[in-house]
Amino acid sequence: MAQATNPNHPKAILVAEDEEDVRLVVSEALAAAGFMVLNAESGPEALRMLEANPGIDLLFTDIRMPGGMDGFELAHRAKQMRPELRIVYTTGYVKELPWGEHGIGHGPMLRKPYRNRDLVAEVNRTLAS
């Protein structure tokens, strides 16, 4: 499995995913790669966690989440709080999005389903950019 960019200084990733089983798999894959992982099951919970944990380096968010805040709104509000925050999106509904498969104008996006190694590679790539 791919490893975090610098295992001596692990980066902190916030995973915002409403589906518990997906959230657990993502969190385990990132933790196994050497990242510190925090989890949120909704946009509002993710914002509270970002506010309480200034050391979060990257937000990995599903685009479609219940509760009135999707991943785009979450990312927008998170960037207002923390302009330096890196963001990677994920969804299984690429064709329904107005911005296409590659996240043009928003940031990198992993299409579900994806492999753990692709997840770790995209997180490393985004953190390095």
Side-chain angles (χ1 to χ4, degrees):
M1 171 170 286
Q3 296 296 305
T5 307
N6 185 348
N8 295 325
H9 301 324
K11 298 289 186 181
I13 312 297
L14 174 58
V15 175
E17 169 64 62
D18 61 302
E19 293 183 38
E20 183 177 9
D21 56 339
V22 175
R23 192 171 58 246
L24 291 173
V25 169
V26 168
S27 296
E28 288 174 5
L30 292 171
F35 294 104
M36 295 181 354
V37 182
L38 295 98
N39 290 290
E41 64 182 47
S42 69
E45 182 182 9
L47 289 175
R48 287 191 297 276
M49 294 181 83
L50 281 168
E51 195 168 34
N53 299 283
I56 294 172
D57 300 292
L58 184 139
L59 169 64
F60 181 77
T61 182
D62 192 1
I63 293 171
R64 296 182 87 188
M65 290 190 290
M69 183 183 300
D70 66 15
F72 291 137
E73 183 179 350
L74 168 58
H76 176 74
R77 292 176 63 182
K79 283 290 217 178
Q80 287 178 325
M81 291 170 49
R82 306 255 314 278
E84 76 286 357
L85 184 69
R86 305 277 196 232
I87 299 171
V88 175
Y89 299 92
T90 186
T91 188
Y93 301 94
V94 174
K95 292 181 182 180
E96 296 176 20
L97 298 176
W99 49 284
E101 185 169 345
H102 300 289
I104 297 167
H106 291 277
M109 194 270 300
L110 279 176
R111 183 178 183 171
K112 292 179 183 177
Y114 47 81
R115 294 182 179 107
N116 288 349
R117 68 175 180 242
D118 296 331
L119 166 66
V120 172
E122 187 60 57
V123 165
N124 279 322
R125 197 170 20 257
T126 301
L127 286 167
S129 65

